[in-house]
Amino acid sequence: MENVDQCGSADGLYAEIENLFDGLTDFPGWVFDPEAELPAATELAKVQPDALILAAYAWNTHLTARNARPRRYGADYLAMKRVVADALSNCYTQSATVRVDDPLRVAIWVPWLPNNPNNNILRVVAGYLGGLRDLEGVEAALVLTNEVSFPVGTSVAHARKDPRAYRATLEGVIAEYGAPADALYMAPPPLTEEGNLNWFLNFQETFRPNAVFVPNFEMSSVHVHGCGQSAATVYLQTSVRNRPPYDFSRYLYLGEERKIDDSHIHPDKWHYHSFGYGNFGTGAGLSREDVGLDEDAFVVVTAGNRLGHEIDAEIIGVMANLMEQNNKVVWMLMGVQNEDQIRDNLGERFAVMADRVLCKGYVREIGDYMSLSDVYANPRRTGGAVSMALAVYGHTPVLSFYGNDACNFLIDEMMHETAEAYGAKLAELATDKAYLNHVDVVQRARFDAGHTIAASAADLEMHLNAARSDWSAE
């Protein structure tokens, strides 16, 4: 940490990291020592906080570029970010007065957002923003993010090629959920004239948030402890595999209601959250013919951002067996980024399944694609809940394995533990139209009862108020 205090630019910091870690990474016994580094990081936060913000990201990018991640890379990276977060938190100040009966002023903290109007992360954030702003107990709510993705520096990454287009994408999506353009706040990059940390401190002073909401895809942000220092902070775990390394006022989880074990930080502060989803990507009037599907096909759809990893031997085996039983079955994969990887995953099954597996990339009309399908088949994974919600909106029954974060709105008979039971249910759906329609009606009723954006925002408001009360007492 002491080596980066003189860096005045992102490129200079990256060069210093290269020089420093080229030697350390090659030394087999080197590990990052949080206890030893925290004092230096704390001093650096006082004089050059933006350099500290970039240090962990520059180190990660350097190792990635060299393809030389040491065995302890993951643990060291998390430890380094935690040290940075702890050091920066000292720069934030606690609110002078906290009245638990004051209206909520909520900052939804997401240090990056994708420049893709149909991305699930952006849609979830926009849904919460719109839902919170509709509540009487919420005086103000906004989204707080950065103008660029980390790491910053021309050697590593560039600012958005067209920041205005990027902002227009984000503003366009939040407008769909009823929020105005001025509900989006974007911080400048570190080591620019205004400064990243100074911008956040000024924001804290002017907006005066009394609650901060942190969706889990930002669990590694270096500002999260600062947010927790200045206001009650609620963290949302949207994947059962994630374990936040930071201290928050309250933690929320999705999926099946369950007992939180000791692998979670502060297990006594975890609570179930009734997560909600909005409908989007519809209205284009697409037909099956438009998207390359036969009218009489039985279309099984699977969507995701990581299908190259998630389309594994288990789900491939289920689908191959179904195709052998029913020659009308077509498997449509949405969000495929590398079709060659899908072919590799199919392996020896490829020759049999190839002409009945339809790979699609990202599409704006994702909701319409869901409604053109007969069944949504969810692999054994966490994630995918947004596209499964779109399937519910599109009257497409959703079949899943247990343990998914969408289990809170799926019906019991559509969730299974084994591939055999999963495959049997899929075969039943493919041959019984009346049962298919029955599942559609029952799952939509369950969804509407507690998983709309309005219901989710009301549940979040309750948790934000409870967290504020606990934080004030502490």
Side-chain angles (χ1 to χ4, degrees):
M1 293 296 179
E2 294 174 349
N3 293 67
V4 299
D5 63 347
Q6 300 302 315
C7 297
S9 69
D11 284 340
L13 175 69
Y14 185 73
E16 182 63 36
I17 291 291
E18 277 190 326
N19 293 334
L20 176 64
F21 282 104
D22 265 340
L24 290 176
T25 306
D26 293 333
F27 180 61
W30 182 84
V31 296
F32 182 79
D33 185 348
E35 186 175 347
E37 293 286 353
L38 181 58
T42 302
E43 290 303 310
L44 181 56
K46 299 175 183 178
V47 296
Q48 189 61 290
D50 280 18
L52 181 62
I53 289 171
L54 285 179
Y57 297 98
W59 177 74
N60 173 53
T61 304
H62 169 62
L63 293 185
T64 301
R66 294 181 72 229
N67 195 26
R69 292 177 174 177
R71 182 173 57 86
R72 283 184 48 84
Y73 155 77
D76 285 338
Y77 188 33
L78 285 177
M80 189 178 294
K81 288 190 289 187
R82 175 65 192 248
V83 165
V84 173
D86 286 347
L88 288 173
S89 69
N90 296 317
C91 301
Y92 285 78
T93 57
Q94 183 172 327
S95 300
T97 57
V98 179
R99 298 185 180 91
V100 295
D101 55 346
D102 282 349
L104 284 168
R105 297 181 61 82
V106 185
I108 303 174
W109 172 221
V110 280
W112 66 272
L113 282 169
N115 191 13
N116 175 356
N118 274 358
N119 184 275
N120 57 344
I121 292 174
L122 177 54
R123 288 281 169 175
V124 166
V125 168
Y128 273 117
L129 175 65
L132 286 172
R133 292 175 68 92
D134 286 339
L135 297 172
E136 291 185 4
V138 178
E139 181 179 86
L142 54 80
V143 170
L144 192 59
T145 189
N146 283 292
E147 290 179 3
V148 296
S149 300
F150 287 157
V152 179
T154 55
S155 302
V156 194
H158 296 278
R160 307 286 180 178
K161 290 183 178 179
D162 187 348
R164 290 173 300 177
Y166 173 53
R167 176 180 280 275
T169 297
L170 305 187
E171 290 177 351
V173 172
I174 68 173
E176 291 183 37
Y177 294 85
D182 62 6
L184 176 67
Y185 279 54
M186 302 177 76
L191 298 175
T192 54
E193 183 176 353
E194 187 173 0
N196 186 261
L197 178 66
N198 282 339
W199 188 94
F200 278 103
L201 296 180
N202 289 334
F203 165 81
Q204 176 196 359
E205 185 176 338
T206 55
F207 181 68
R208 297 174 292 106
N210 54 23
V212 176
F213 177 48
V214 183
N216 89 311
F217 33 80
E218 290 312 331
M219 58 189 269
S220 62
S221 165
V222 294
H223 286 286
V224 292
H225 272 178
C227 293
Q229 182 79 3
S230 59
T233 310
V234 174
Y235 164 86
L236 173 65
Q237 174 185 287
T238 57
S239 171
V240 295
R241 293 178 182 172
N242 287 338
R243 298 292 186 271
Y246 299 119
D247 303 306
F248 297 104
S249 309
R250 177 169 282 223
Y251 303 79
L252 309 181
Y253 71 89
L254 310 177
E256 303 160 88
E257 293 196 50
R258 60 188 186 276
K259 185 179 184 334
I260 296 296
D261 59 36
D262 290 338
S263 67
H264 291 71
I265 190 172
H266 305 307
D268 57 318
K269 293 185 177 182
W270 286 82
H271 303 270
Y272 174 76
H273 176 46
S274 178
F275 195 41
Y277 308 83
N279 194 15
F280 62 92
T282 62
L286 296 177
S287 67
R288 282 194 166 189
E289 182 181 4
D290 293 332
V291 302
L293 295 169
D294 292 337
E295 283 299 325
D296 63 345
F298 184 82
V299 181
V300 179
V301 65
T302 303
N305 296 313
R306 302 173 297 275
L307 293 184
H309 300 288
E310 295 166 345
I311 301 302
D312 58 11
E314 182 177 52
I315 190 68
I316 289 170
V318 168
M319 289 303 303
N321 290 338
L322 181 65
M323 288 179 177
E324 289 174 2
Q325 301 169 27
N326 190 328
N327 61 11
K328 294 293 186 181
V329 173
V330 174
W331 192 13
M332 183 166 63
L333 303 178
M334 306 293 303
V336 173
Q337 301 176 56
N338 186 340
E339 194 167 341
D340 289 337
Q341 188 173 9
I342 298 295
R343 292 194 188 96
D344 291 342
N345 293 354
L346 294 177
E348 62 182 18
R349 305 269 197 174
F350 175 71
V352 178
M353 302 175 67
D355 60 343
R356 297 164 68 184
V357 176
L358 182 62
C359 292
K360 299 283 187 179
Y362 295 118
V363 296
R364 289 182 179 272
E365 308 87 0
I366 182 63
D368 286 336
Y369 275 80
M370 294 295 112
S371 65
L372 292 173
S373 305
D374 293 292
V375 172
Y376 187 112
N378 189 47
R380 194 183 298 273
R381 63 176 178 180
T382 57
V386 172
S387 58
M388 283 184 267
L390 294 180
V392 174
Y393 278 116
H395 302 284
T396 301
V398 180
L399 182 63
S400 179
F401 289 100
Y402 280 111
N404 187 270
D405 54 4
C407 287
N408 53 359
F409 66 75
L410 302 183
I411 61 176
D412 292 342
E413 63 196 272
M414 295 292 282
M415 294 185 292
H416 298 279
E417 185 59 49
T418 67
E420 291 75 19
Y422 186 107
K425 179 61 67 174
L426 189 54
E428 181 182 4
L429 293 165
T431 55
D432 191 336
K433 181 67 173 177
Y435 180 59
L436 194 72
N437 292 335
H438 164 76
V439 171
D440 166 39
V441 172
V442 175
Q443 76 173 8
R444 183 59 186 265
R446 179 180 176 88
F447 184 92
D448 288 346
H451 303 288
T452 61
I453 287 177
S456 182
D459 189 62
L460 177 60
E461 179 189 27
M462 181 271 292
H463 287 296
L464 289 169
N465 279 321
R468 186 170 51 157
S469 178
D470 292 345
W471 184 79
S472 176
E474 290 175 357

